[in-house]
Each structure stands twice: as C-alpha cells, then as structure tokens.
Amino acid sequence: MKILHTSDWHLGRSFHGTGMLDSQRIFIDNLEKTVREEGVDIVLIAGDVYDRALPGVDVVALLDDALDRLTVAGAHVVVSSGNHDSATRLGFGGRILARGGVHLRTRTEDIGTPVVHPLGAGAELAIYGVPYLEPRVVAEILQAQASTHTAVTTAALDRVRADIAQRASERRVVSIVMAHTFAAGGAGSDSERDLAIGGLGSVPLSLFDGFDYAALGHLHGRQKLSDSVRYSGSPLAYSFSEVNQTKGAWLIEATENGIGAVRAVEWPAPRDLAVLQGPLEELLVREDLRSAQTAYCHITLTDRERPARAMERLRTRFPDTLVLAFAPEGGEREDARTYSQRMAEARDDADICSGFLHHVRGRAASAEEEALIRSTVDCALSLAHER
C-alpha cells in the first residue's frame, strides 16, 4: 500500500500581498498526477489545510475540487486540522465524507479512532489523526498533567497507544500517527505561525517512539527527524526564507511487515523565488541575475544613501519585486543622527521639513528639493502673516 504524506497546504494564503490560488491549483494538478502515476492508495494531509479559520468561498471550492479529484483517482484521504484551521468547520460532515473515502480527524474524541485498511496476511494499517491541540483548551478534556504542548500531546498519544495495544492482541498492526506540532529538532521558517512564545511549543521527539511512522505537519521545510518521524513541509513556498527548499511530499510503502521504503516526491514551483542584494545600479545590469527577472524577488539595496524611485527602477528589470529592504554598506548612513536629534538641531521650519524627509526615506533632500521645501515654507508663512 502506498501512502503520500503531505501537510500545510494553506489554501487561500497570499505571498506578500500576491494571491496564490493559481499556484495552489497547479499544486493540486501535480498532486493528482502523482497519485495516478504512483498508484497512491492514501493521501495524508497533516494539518493547515486552509490558511485561516474562515476561508473564502473560492478557497473552499478549491479544496472541494481537490478532494473530488483525489478520490476519483482512487485514493482515500485522511485529513487532520492544524493551528490555522477551524477544527469545527473543517470537520463538518465528517461521517458523511468518510463514506466517500475522505476521513476527517479534527476532534479530540476521535484521536484514538483510526482509519483502518487491510494489508494482507491478517495485518492492518491503522492511521491516527491528531489535530492541533491548544493546551489551554484541551488539557482538561485529555486529562493531561499540565496545560503545555508536551503534556497534551503525551495524553493524546497515550490514547493512540492504548488503541494500538488492544488491536495488536488480535492482529499485526502497522501504525501511522499524524500530528500538527513542532517537534524538537525541526528546522522552521518565517512562514509558520508560532505555537507558543519562547520555544515552549516544541515537544520532545521521543513522544513518537514506537509508532511505525509519524507524519508531521506545521514546519514548512520537508525534513527527516528520524527514520520514522518526518515533516512533509508545505507544497509551495510561503516566505522568502524557503528560497532554497525543494517542495514536495514523502511517498511511503506499507506492508504487513511494517513501513518499507520512504522516498521524496518533488513538485516544480509555479514561480521561482530570488533573494538579491547589492547596490541598485549593479543589480540593474548584472548578467547573472537574468533568471530573477521572472521570479518573485526580495531585494536588499546596499547603497550608502537610499536611491530615489528605488522600487520603480527595480521593477523595470524585476517586475515581481515584492519586498524591498535597505542595508547600507558599512552598517550606518553617513548621517547617523536620530530623528529627535535632527529636530533639535533644526534652524527653522524648512530644516524641520527636510529632516523629516530624510528620516522617512533614508536619503537627504537634494538641492532642488531643499529649494522647493524652503520656497513652500516661505510661501505658507507669508500667507499666515497676511491673515
């Protein structure tokens, strides 16, 4: 039996203000193609199906289309909720959907109830979906020892282990547990929402000992924490910190003897990302940056003074520049005075205006701008005196 481990679809997300539904539709195309070509039996989605608790109508329609295409292609789908999802809304109609091959695990009371598939030779595959657990909400329900991520995850996995033990008394059980959490040792990126302040949201990797496979969600980089504990990562890049990540999923083979081969599946990015740095004039002419002309760009200018019309000029070559930052060479501008210092040293109203301009754009007023500011201030003062 072949299982495809995915997570963190974040349907409806934007990328620095740019909508991603078209890119997400391409991902669904690639996903369906993989399911058909590889003969995938089960697709796992380990949380954060949506990017927000109240997704738009077009976003809900995209998930509806995806689930229809995957089930028509012959796969069952097991979905657990993440910290971005509304567990109640995502879980609506779960019992009805299960009849069509879509199994939702969004409720704490369903943690110990697996999705079961026969493997032959009297063995069975048991897939347990652990939704995102907000400690303050579920600690009492799960009878956890404390309101922490480690305590509630321990309590949830104890329920899973109890069910496995009962089943294993009668047959061989190959277990897969899905969890949306931050396991210690995982490498994060800028696009994940923190589960807790100060790193307390992480849980020990040892909590997943004893399961044949742990299909984790939350971290957006595909990674292997151990042979049996892995993050699939997000199918698309959702921040520039993911520029060097290869997106895809894990394809798992399960037999009556346990988990066999696990290999990476890769999907091409609909749009490349580029992170560029340097002086403006240099970036506009460098030949080695041709590929960035069709990419989403994060550009950091290192000019000593902030160039005029910087974004406008950059977009003549890199039209999809989404983020523009400034880091002057040498670490400081020639005029390192604070705004308060400039105001305290201003000689008159025109100086105050020039100082404000310097403060907000990081570049001193030119001679022409100084003259315009001074003439405007003088004119305003003259009109005030006439009144």
Side-chain angles (χ1 to χ4, degrees):
M1 181 169 287
K2 291 186 177 181
I3 303 107
L4 191 66
H5 169 197
T6 77
S7 72
D8 296 273
W9 290 14
H10 286 281
L11 298 181
R13 187 155 188 159
S14 62
F15 189 85
H16 294 278
T18 300
M20 296 195 69
L21 270 184
D22 287 342
S23 293
Q24 290 172 335
R25 290 188 183 98
I26 293 173
F27 150 61
I28 299 300
D29 291 342
N30 289 327
L31 175 62
E32 181 191 12
K33 181 180 179 183
T34 297
V35 168
R36 291 185 179 279
E37 291 182 349
E38 296 286 352
V40 172
D41 300 289
I42 304 171
V43 176
L44 310 180
I45 312 175
D48 283 354
V49 183
Y50 292 124
D51 189 58
R52 60 187 63 187
L54 291 172
V57 174
D58 51 352
V59 179
V60 175
L62 179 58
L63 178 61
D64 178 67
D65 180 59
L67 295 177
D68 178 60
R69 291 167 65 178
L70 293 176
T71 52
V72 168
H76 283 250
V77 185
V78 184
V79 184
S80 60
S81 52
N83 56 303
H84 280 250
D85 300 309
S86 164
T88 302
R89 291 184 176 88
L90 183 62
F92 175 78
R95 286 173 293 181
I96 299 171
L97 288 172
R99 296 172 197 155
V102 177
H103 308 272
L104 303 177
R105 291 295 183 268
T106 65
R107 307 187 309 162
T108 54
E109 52 264 48
D110 293 332
I111 288 174
T113 304
V115 178
V116 179
H117 291 271
L119 288 172
E124 67 181 21
L125 173 68
I127 301 173
Y128 298 84
V130 179
Y132 168 68
L133 302 171
E134 175 55 50
R136 293 169 297 178
V137 175
V138 303
E140 184 175 350
I141 298 171
L142 292 173
Q143 298 181 320
Q145 294 184 352
S147 296
T148 66
H149 282 279
T150 296
V152 298
T153 304
T154 299
L157 295 179
D158 283 347
R159 292 190 176 191
V160 173
R161 288 188 171 91
D163 187 77
I164 292 173
Q166 182 179 359
R167 292 174 179 278
S169 64
E170 301 177 358
R171 64 189 66 83
R172 168 81 164 96
V173 177
V174 178
S175 60
I176 293 179
V177 60
M178 302 163 61
H180 194 86
T181 190
F182 184 6
S189 66
D190 292 343
S191 58
E192 300 123 8
R193 181 181 297 167
D194 288 341
L195 298 182
I197 303 299
L200 299 179
S202 63
V203 302
L205 190 61
S206 59
L207 291 188
F208 300 100
D209 289 350
F211 300 114
D212 290 287
Y213 186 88
L216 303 187
H218 179 58
L219 300 185
H220 288 185
R222 186 178 58 194
Q223 51 199 290
K224 170 184 170 183
L225 302 188
S226 72
D227 286 340
S228 61
V229 183
R230 303 179 189 233
Y231 281 98
S232 66
S234 59
L236 299 170
Y238 291 121
S239 74
F240 281 104
S241 65
E242 301 167 53
V243 63
N244 294 319
Q245 294 179 1
T246 301
K247 297 300 185 179
W250 293 110
L251 186 61
I252 308 153
E253 292 186 10
T255 70
E256 63 272 16
N257 297 317
I259 299 298
V262 180
R263 62 182 174 89
V265 173
E266 297 181 357
W267 294 313
R271 289 292 296 271
D272 291 331
L273 304 183
V275 177
L276 312 178
Q277 181 169 324
L280 175 61
E281 298 300 336
E282 179 183 310
L283 294 176
L284 292 176
V285 298
R286 277 176 52 183
E287 287 295 321
D288 62 322
L289 301 182
R290 285 184 176 274
S291 62
Q293 293 176 187
T294 56
Y296 288 140
C297 295
H298 181 300
I299 299 179
T300 301
L301 295 181
T302 60
D303 301 81
R304 292 289 296 178
E305 288 195 347
R306 189 173 303 200
R309 300 171 27 252
M311 181 65 92
E312 179 183 343
R313 295 177 65 194
L314 282 169
R315 283 180 170 169
T316 61
R317 185 181 188 192
F318 309 108
D320 289 313
T321 300
L322 303 182
V323 178
L324 177 59
F326 297 90
E329 290 179 350
E332 294 184 357
R333 299 187 181 98
E334 292 179 3
D335 185 350
R337 293 176 298 167
T338 66
Y339 180 60
S340 297
Q341 288 171 331
R342 289 196 190 101
M343 295 304 97
E345 297 168 10
R347 296 165 296 178
D348 52 28
D349 291 340
D351 247 10
I352 292 174
C353 293
S354 295
F356 177 75
L357 182 64
H358 193 166
H359 171 70
V360 297
R361 74 178 184 183
R363 176 167 54 85
S366 65
E368 293 81 2
E369 289 169 334
E370 287 271 14
L372 179 60
I373 289 170
R374 192 159 294 279
S375 66
T376 302
V377 170
D378 289 345
C379 181
L381 289 175
S382 297
L383 289 173
H385 288 315
E386 290 176 4
R387 292 178 182 176

